[in-house]
Amino acid sequence: MADFADPTDGVNKISSVGASFSSPLSKTVNASGKYSFTQRNNYTVGNSLLQSIYGSGKGVNTSISNYEDYRIKSVDRTHKMDWDFDMKLSAKDQLKISPKLSWTNSTSRTLKDRRIKNNRLSSTGNYEAANSTESPAAALDLFYTRSFDKPGRKILYTFHTDFNALDKDEVLRDNNKGIDSTVAPPKITETFLNQMIRTDNESKNIQSRLSLVEPVDLGGVLEINYDLDYTKIDASRSTFDHTNSEKEPIFIDSLSSKYNYSFASNKVGMIYRQDVGKTSN
């Protein structure tokens, strides 16, 4: 049952379908692949009450209570596709290509009602958050090897690249009404927040390795290799205020950010291996 147990709170409904394929496409090419689709519907209802009581030491107690009701609905849909192609290009050349694709779409809505009371101060409010997220991803792995007439001489090449993105649109609304009964007449304060947040994240990665293996005299093996590693990340967050619906949305610079990062590494190395007798090298 461990594979089917779901630790997520609330009521979950999960549906999935998948298919796999494996067959030789020709005398020199074998292909295999699989596709799956999964949908998860989650509905969570809950409430919480936090109460703190403070004594002054003179028989007078002060209590602070915080009560909250919340309801969360979310839907996640995920598509995944993996492929493998094994190719024997010739008697001395072999190539394997493995592409992967995935796409996830998520929507959720959260509603909260809260009540806070501290002696003669009280606050009531409601909170709403709705968001939509898309997360495409892709990856490619490649492996190539070539042998030569001279025993032990060969070329090895590996390549990996992946791409991940996240596009998220979120709307936040927060209403709050505070009442201060310590003064007469009671002082009432109302606040309203209406924001839209746009998040865009992308990451790209490339890893490559080329190795030349050459047997030398006295049973030794010399390997010369070259490694390339490249990473690039772009992340941005834009926040807009929609509190005054009669005007255009206002861009909030202090709640927005933009981040860019890139890193490249090039390495050249050499390895020499030598057998010493039959039991050590």
Side-chain angles (χ1 to χ4, degrees):
M1 294 296 293
D3 293 336
F4 301 96
D6 192 347
T8 305
D9 288 341
V11 179
N12 294 275
K13 180 181 179 181
I14 303 176
S15 304
S16 64
V17 62
S20 60
F21 167 82
S22 179
S23 176
L25 300 182
S26 67
K27 294 182 179 181
T28 59
V29 180
N30 289 322
S32 62
K34 59 183 178 179
Y35 165 80
S36 65
F37 170 74
T38 304
Q39 177 170 306
R40 177 202 301 267
N41 295 54
N42 173 267
Y43 182 51
T44 304
V45 177
N47 59 73
S48 65
L49 172 62
L50 175 64
Q51 189 174 43
S52 304
I53 300 177
Y54 302 90
S56 63
K58 300 180 181 180
V60 178
N61 294 326
T62 300
S63 65
I64 302 175
S65 61
N66 187 340
Y67 183 80
E68 182 177 85
D69 281 318
Y70 59 89
R71 298 171 298 283
I72 304 173
K73 288 185 178 181
S74 64
V75 179
D76 299 323
R77 302 179 181 90
T78 301
H79 299 264
K80 289 184 178 181
M81 183 171 62
D82 300 341
W83 288 91
D84 285 311
F85 298 94
D86 290 306
M87 292 172 276
K88 192 173 182 62
L89 304 179
S90 68
K92 299 179 181 180
D93 297 86
Q94 292 185 346
L95 175 65
K96 182 177 181 179
I97 302 176
S98 302
K100 298 181 180 179
L101 296 172
S102 68
W103 180 81
T104 300
N105 172 261
S106 303
T107 58
S108 69
R109 187 184 183 195
T110 302
L111 299 174
K112 293 183 179 180
D113 296 317
R114 59 179 179 268
R115 298 186 294 274
I116 303 175
K117 185 173 179 57
N118 178 8
N119 198 11
R120 301 182 65 185
L121 303 176
S122 65
S123 176
T124 59
N126 56 75
Y127 170 86
E128 177 183 0
N131 64 71
S132 175
T133 305
E134 289 190 2
S135 303
L140 176 66
D141 288 285
L142 184 148
F143 174 75
Y144 171 76
T145 178
R146 177 178 174 83
S147 302
F148 295 89
D149 293 335
K150 183 178 180 180
R153 176 185 292 174
K154 57 185 176 181
I155 294 177
L156 303 174
Y157 179 70
T158 58
F159 176 84
H160 170 83
T161 181
D162 58 69
F163 168 82
N164 295 274
L166 184 146
D167 299 324
K168 182 178 181 181
D169 291 317
E170 186 175 11
V171 176
L172 301 177
R173 296 185 179 93
D174 195 352
N175 299 293
N176 192 73
K177 181 179 180 180
I179 301 177
D180 183 359
S181 300
T182 60
V183 297
K187 182 181 179 181
I188 300 177
T189 304
E190 295 189 41
T191 59
F192 176 65
L193 176 68
N194 186 2
Q195 289 183 348
M196 186 189 76
I197 303 172
R198 172 73 179 179
T199 303
D200 295 299
N201 296 335
E202 286 187 2
S203 65
K204 303 173 184 177
N205 181 47
I206 296 176
Q207 296 175 334
S208 177
R209 181 182 179 92
L210 176 64
S211 299
L212 308 177
V213 181
E214 175 70 22
V216 295
D217 294 336
L218 304 177
V221 176
L222 176 66
E223 177 182 343
I224 300 175
N225 52 64
Y226 166 69
D227 291 274
L228 168 66
D229 190 354
Y230 175 77
T231 300
K232 188 174 189 300
I233 298 175
D234 296 300
S236 66
R237 172 188 171 98
S238 302
T239 305
F240 299 89
D241 185 11
H242 286 255
T243 302
N244 192 341
S245 59
E246 297 179 359
K247 297 182 179 180
E248 291 293 327
I250 300 174
F251 177 73
I252 307 176
D253 183 74
S254 60
L255 299 179
S256 303
S257 62
K258 188 173 184 179
Y259 174 78
N260 304 99
Y261 168 84
S262 62
F263 170 83
S265 171
N266 295 272
K267 297 180 182 179
V268 177
M270 182 168 59
I271 302 173
Y272 178 76
R273 293 188 295 272
Q274 175 69 54
D275 292 333
V276 181
K278 296 182 179 180
T279 59
S280 61
N281 58 55

